[in-house]
Amino acid sequence: MADHSAVAGNGNYVDFYNYKGKFSGIFGWLLSVDHKRIGLMYLFSMITFFLIGMTLGFFMRLELWSTGRDIMGPQTYNALFTLHGIIMIFLVIIPGIPAGFGNFFLPIQIGAEDVSFPKLNLTSWYLYTIGGLMAVVSLFVGGGPIDTGWTFYAPYSLRTGTEVILPLLAAFILGFSSILTGLNFVTTVHRLRAPGMSFFKLPLFIWALYSTAWIQIIGTPVIGITIILVILERAFGIGVFDPALGGDPILFQHLFWIYSHPAVYIMILPAMGVVSEIIPTFCRKTIFGYGAIAVSSIAIAFVGTLVWGHHMFTSGMSDEARWIYSFLTFIVALPSGVKIFNWVATMHKASIKPETPFLYVMAFIFLFSIGGLTGLVLGALATDVHLHDTYFVVAHFHYVMFGGTIFIFFAGLHYWFPKMFGRMYNTKIANIALAIMVVGFNMLYFTFFILGYMGMPRRYYDYLPEFQSLHQFATVGSWVLIAGILLMFTNLAIGLRRGAKASANPWGGMTLEWTVPSPPPLLNFDKIPTVKYGPYEYEHYEEVMKGE
C-alpha cells in the first residue's frame, strides 16, 4: 500500500494519474492495484468489447435487409448472433457497472482508501481479460466460430462441429473473475466503511453493488459446474445432457437458468443503483423511500433466484411448477415497481436540473418500464406459449438489458466523467446524441415486438416476404442508433482531450466522491472522513461539503 504523500497538506495534491509509484508508463497501469486504475481498465475494455458486439449486430441487421442471402450465409449468421450474445452478455453487461464504476467508486463512496483485497482485484481484471481474449481467439481455431447461441443449449452444443470448448472455457474464466469481484465487494462493504457510516447511511449504489455481489458469489458457481459438464461430455461422452447417451437436455436448461436468470439481476441491479444516485443529485432533494429502495435491492436479489423456470414453460414441466414459477415472476415485479415509484416520487415538486445524466435516467425509466411490463406478458403462462422464441422475446430482452443497463452505463459515464477524468464534455452534443439513440432504439426494438407478435421466430437466418418491410424499418433504426452511439463516444473522447477542467462537484452531489478533488488523489482522502449524515440529506449539504 502506498503512503499518504500523494496528498499534500497545503491543499495541493497529486491525482492518481500523476502519482509516481513503483512502475511507470503502461506497467504503471497493468501492475497497479489502485482500484481507480483497475476500474478504468475495466471500463475501456468493456467499451472496446461493446463496439465489437455492436459491429456484429450491425452486420446481422444488414443480412436481414431482405429475404434470402444478402451479405453472408446461414452458418456465418449463426456464428454472428452467438458471438454478439456472448460478448454483450459476458463481457459487457454482466461486469459492466459493478467492475467498472463499482471498482472506481465503491471505496470512495464508503470512505475507504481501496478495496479489501487490491491484489485480488487486479487478478480479477486479468481473468476478465484472458476470458475475453479466449472468446475472440475461438473465432479462428478448431471448427470455426461457435454457433449455439449464447445459451449453449444441449444437445446441439454437444454435437455441433464448431469450436465450443474454448468459448466455454472463456465463460468459465469470466465467471471466476465475477466471483472474485463479488467477494472483494462484500468484504469491503463489511470491513472498510468510514466511521459513522452504518448500513442505512450507505449510498444506494453501494446497496445495489452489495446485493449484486451476493448473487455473483452464490449463483456463478452453478454455471461454472454446468460448463465443465458440457466440456467433459464433448470430450469424453459421459452422458449427462445428451439423450443419446442416457442424459437429460432439460437438466442443462435448469442448471443454465438457475444462474442465468439471477444474472439478469446482476446486470440490472447496479444500474438501478446508479439511477438512485443521479435522481436526488439533479432534484436537489432527499430521495423518497431510502429504506424501501435499499431493501428492494435485497428482495430482487432473493426472489430473482427463484424464478428461473419461467424460461422453460414450453420445455416440459408439471402444471404446478408452471403456475408457481409464473406467480413468483409476478412477485419479483413488486420490488422493481417500488424503485420506480420512489424515483418518480422523488421528482415530485423538486427543483430539477435536466442535465445529461438526468436525461439518460428519464430515457431509462421509459424504456425499462416497457421492458418490465412486456416481461409480465412473457411471465404469464398462456401468452408465453404464443410468444415463446419469437422476436417479442428479443425485443423484451433488449428493452431491459440495453434500454436498462446499457443506457444507465452511458448515464454513469456522463455522471462520473468529470470525477474520473477531471474534464467536462459538451452537454449540448451529449443531449443530441441521446435523442438520436432513443429514436433509433425504438425504431429497432419496438418493431421487434410487432414482428414477434406476428410470429417471426428469433435467430432465423431468413423469413417470409410479409415480414420484409418491418425488418427494413428495424434495420434503418439500427443505423440511427449506431449513429447516436458513435456521436456520444466521439463527444466524450473530445471532452477527455480538450474539455474544460471539472470542479470537484460540478453537479452538486452529496455522496463522498463529490467531496474529493477531480480526479481523486491516490488514496482518495487526505483524512478518512467521519460520516454524520445520510447520503442524500440535502439540508446538510454545506456541512458535508466542508467535511464537518
Side-chain angles (χ1 to χ4, degrees):
M1 185 71 73
D3 60 39
H4 283 266
S5 61
V7 184
N10 59 5
N12 297 321
Y13 79 102
V14 179
D15 64 60
F16 73 97
Y17 292 109
N18 294 308
Y19 177 76
K20 304 299 181 187
K22 186 176 179 181
F23 302 99
S24 60
I26 187 68
F27 292 105
W29 285 84
L30 295 178
L31 300 176
S32 173
V33 294
D34 177 21
H35 66 97
K36 298 180 287 297
R37 290 196 176 210
I38 293 172
L40 289 178
M41 288 196 293
Y42 268 117
L43 276 180
F44 283 108
S45 302
M46 287 163 196
I47 290 171
T48 302
F49 284 123
F50 173 82
L51 293 175
I52 293 172
M54 183 183 78
T55 304
L56 296 176
F58 170 73
F59 284 114
M60 286 161 57
R61 289 310 316 168
L62 282 185
E63 168 51 38
L64 294 170
W65 177 257
S66 62
T67 58
R69 179 186 175 115
D70 285 318
I71 61 169
M72 67 184 79
Q75 183 62 31
T76 305
Y77 180 81
N78 288 347
L80 250 58
F81 78 66
T82 300
L83 285 166
H84 172 79
I86 292 174
I87 288 173
M88 287 302 197
I89 296 293
F90 293 107
L91 292 168
V92 179
I93 300 179
I94 287 181
I97 293 175
F101 298 127
N103 257 310
F104 198 107
F105 289 105
L106 184 146
I108 306 179
Q109 285 199 335
I110 66 171
E113 293 178 346
D114 207 319
V115 293
S116 282
F117 309 114
K119 291 180 181 176
L120 194 66
N121 201 19
L122 182 62
T123 305
S124 298
W125 181 78
Y126 273 105
L127 289 175
Y128 168 81
T129 305
I130 291 169
L133 291 175
M134 286 173 66
V136 174
V137 169
S138 71
L139 293 170
F140 310 103
V141 299
I146 186 172
D147 62 350
T148 62
W150 72 274
T151 51
F152 311 120
Y153 268 13
Y156 185 69
S157 60
L158 305 172
R159 297 173 181 173
T160 176
T162 58
E163 178 59 43
V164 172
I165 291 181
L166 191 58
L168 281 177
L169 283 174
F172 184 81
I173 292 171
L174 290 167
F176 252 106
S177 170
S178 182
I179 292 170
L180 295 181
T181 299
L183 285 170
N184 222 339
F185 282 5
V186 167
T187 311
T188 302
V189 171
H190 277 275
R191 299 296 301 275
L192 297 184
R193 299 193 311 277
M197 181 171 276
S198 64
F199 258 79
F200 281 94
K201 285 183 181 172
L202 285 174
L204 288 165
F205 181 52
I206 304 302
W207 269 103
L209 291 175
Y210 180 76
S211 308
T212 304
W214 278 112
I215 305 177
Q216 290 172 284
I217 295 168
I218 296 171
T220 310
V222 178
I223 193 68
I225 293 168
T226 310
I227 286 172
I228 291 298
L229 287 172
V230 172
I231 291 172
L232 290 175
E233 183 133 2
R234 274 189 72 94
F236 304 109
I238 58 176
V240 177
F241 302 125
D242 190 344
L245 299 173
D248 183 0
I250 302 298
L251 175 62
F252 175 88
Q253 293 191 29
H254 277 290
L255 292 173
F256 180 83
W257 288 113
I258 283 174
Y259 163 76
S260 296
H261 191 78
V264 171
Y265 302 105
I266 293 176
M267 303 177 212
I268 197 64
L269 271 175
M272 291 174 163
V274 177
V275 173
S276 299
E277 296 299 315
I278 290 175
I279 286 180
T281 296
F282 292 97
C283 290
R284 303 282 294 173
K285 185 181 173 187
T286 302
I287 196 160
F288 185 86
Y290 170 93
I293 295 177
V295 173
S296 67
S297 295
I298 299 292
I300 291 172
F302 175 70
V303 182
T305 61
L306 306 175
V307 301
W308 77 88
H310 70 213
H311 292 274
M312 302 166 57
F313 286 152
T314 62
S315 298
M317 64 172 70
S318 68
D319 289 341
E320 289 77 14
R322 282 196 183 97
W323 73 256
I324 289 171
Y325 280 124
S326 179
F327 176 75
L328 289 171
T329 301
F330 278 76
I331 292 295
V332 82
L334 295 179
S336 303
V338 166
K339 288 182 183 295
I340 288 182
F341 286 127
N342 280 289
W343 294 331
V344 174
T346 304
M347 290 183 258
H348 180 60
K349 293 187 176 179
S351 301
I352 296 173
K353 288 176 65 180
E355 298 282 0
T356 304
F358 185 81
L359 296 178
Y360 268 97
V361 167
M362 293 300 98
F364 159 83
I365 291 177
F366 174 69
L367 299 175
F368 182 76
S369 295
I370 294 175
L373 291 171
T374 52
L376 295 179
V377 175
L378 295 171
L381 292 173
T383 47
D384 179 77
V385 172
H386 175 66
L387 297 168
H388 190 82
D389 265 351
T390 68
Y391 263 53
F392 192 95
V393 179
V394 182
H396 157 71
F397 190 70
H398 281 81
Y399 265 87
V400 172
M401 292 294 100
F402 194 163
T405 306
I406 296 295
F407 264 68
I408 290 303
F409 181 80
F410 295 158
L413 268 181
H414 287 85
Y415 182 55
W416 282 311
F417 186 91
K419 182 58 60 183
M420 292 189 292
F421 303 109
R423 298 275 181 182
M424 297 298 292
Y425 50 84
N426 187 315
T427 54
K428 187 177 292 184
I429 294 177
N431 294 343
I432 292 171
L434 170 62
I436 295 171
M437 287 165 56
V438 170
V439 171
F441 182 95
N442 284 290
M443 287 176 66
L444 173 57
Y445 295 116
F446 200 85
T447 309
F448 284 9
F449 280 128
I450 302 169
L451 281 166
Y453 186 78
M454 292 172 66
M456 174 73 206
R458 65 172 176 166
R459 294 181 173 176
Y460 273 36
Y461 166 73
D462 206 357
Y463 51 82
L464 296 173
E466 56 261 39
F467 295 134
Q468 180 163 316
S469 58
L470 286 171
H471 270 295
Q472 290 180 340
F473 185 77
T475 300
V476 172
S478 73
W479 301 343
V480 176
L481 176 59
I482 290 171
I485 292 170
L486 294 179
L487 179 61
M488 178 199 69
F489 280 129
T490 303
N491 183 43
L492 291 176
I494 292 172
L496 188 63
R497 292 183 62 84
R498 301 202 299 263
K501 287 192 175 181
S503 64
N505 192 4
W507 310 127
M510 275 281 289
T511 42
L512 288 177
E513 76 270 29
W514 302 113
T515 65
V516 299
S518 304
L522 181 68
L523 297 179
N524 304 331
F525 302 95
D526 191 12
K527 178 184 175 185
I528 294 298
T530 297
V531 177
K532 298 179 181 175
Y533 309 106
Y536 314 108
E537 295 178 8
Y538 271 87
E539 62 271 27
H540 299 295
Y541 179 80
E542 296 298 331
E543 295 96 308
V544 171
M545 289 303 112
K546 291 176 183 174
E548 296 175 353

